[in-house]
Amino acid sequence: MAVGAPIAGWVVWLHSRNRAQQTRLAAAAARSHEISRYQMMGDREFEEALAFLCARDGCAHAQPVGRTGDLGADVIAFAPDGRKIVLHAKRYVPTNKVIGPELQKFGETCFSVHGAHVAAIVTTSTFTKQAQQYGAHLGIRLFDADALAAWSSRTGPAPWH
């Protein structure tokens, strides 16, 4: 009896560990599927999808505004608390990271020209270390593929939170 109790406890622990691992793997697969949908979109469709997510989550006047000469503003919306949100959309394959110069270009206009209270770059990929440092320095929020998948599936915050 004394030997069986530790073994039973070990079996329960192993089972819960496997269940947790299965849950993590399922969540990763769902994120991957979610991001692949965004990667298959065209640029305009991706911007429209981001505007939809903003509107879905309570933003007013969420609209895609990206076009040639847009100075980095692809989606403009107003958060539920009234702050102006400016999103820059980067629909990239996973191996093409958003780099520092892209943040610099957006950083030059998002606050001064577009009057953003919240500026964010949303990508289907990731950011280089230089881009992360620059974004932190300027206060530009960076939403990579995982953050986008979490926002889209309502398991993570929107860029303005």
Side-chain angles (χ1 to χ4, degrees):
M1 213 48 155
V3 174
I7 292 174
W10 182 81
V11 169
V12 169
W13 173 81
L14 184 59
H15 181 70
S16 66
R17 184 174 151 228
N18 286 339
R19 183 175 291 149
Q21 184 178 13
Q22 289 173 349
T23 301
R24 282 192 302 277
L25 290 173
R31 283 193 306 273
S32 177
H33 174 73
E34 191 74 19
I35 289 305
S36 68
R37 290 181 335 132
Y38 289 109
Q39 288 169 333
M40 292 184 333
M41 294 177 178
D43 291 339
R44 184 64 178 183
E45 191 178 14
F46 182 51
E47 293 166 7
E48 289 170 354
L50 295 179
F52 168 81
L53 291 174
C54 289
R56 179 199 73 186
D57 292 344
C59 288
H61 310 292
Q63 56 187 314
V65 295
R67 63 187 180 292
T68 302
D70 62 15
L71 299 174
D74 293 318
V75 176
I76 294 179
F78 292 87
D81 63 6
R83 293 176 296 158
K84 186 175 185 179
I85 302 163
V86 178
L87 302 181
H88 187 47
K90 290 292 185 186
R91 187 188 50 79
Y92 286 168
V93 296
T95 56
N96 188 10
K97 295 180 177 186
V98 179
I99 59 174
E102 292 172 303
L103 263 86
Q104 292 169 348
K105 186 176 176 183
F106 181 57
E108 292 172 359
T109 62
C110 60
F111 298 111
S112 61
V113 173
H114 298 296
H117 295 109
V118 176
I121 295 183
V122 182
T123 184
T124 55
S125 184
T126 59
F127 297 89
T128 64
K129 185 172 181 96
Q130 179 193 34
Q132 292 171 9
Q133 291 170 341
Y134 194 78
H137 178 71
L138 279 186
I140 297 173
R141 299 175 187 199
L142 306 181
F143 259 56
D144 64 10
D146 285 337
L148 172 58
W151 176 28
S152 178
S153 64
R154 297 181 184 205
T155 59
W160 56 92
H161 289 290

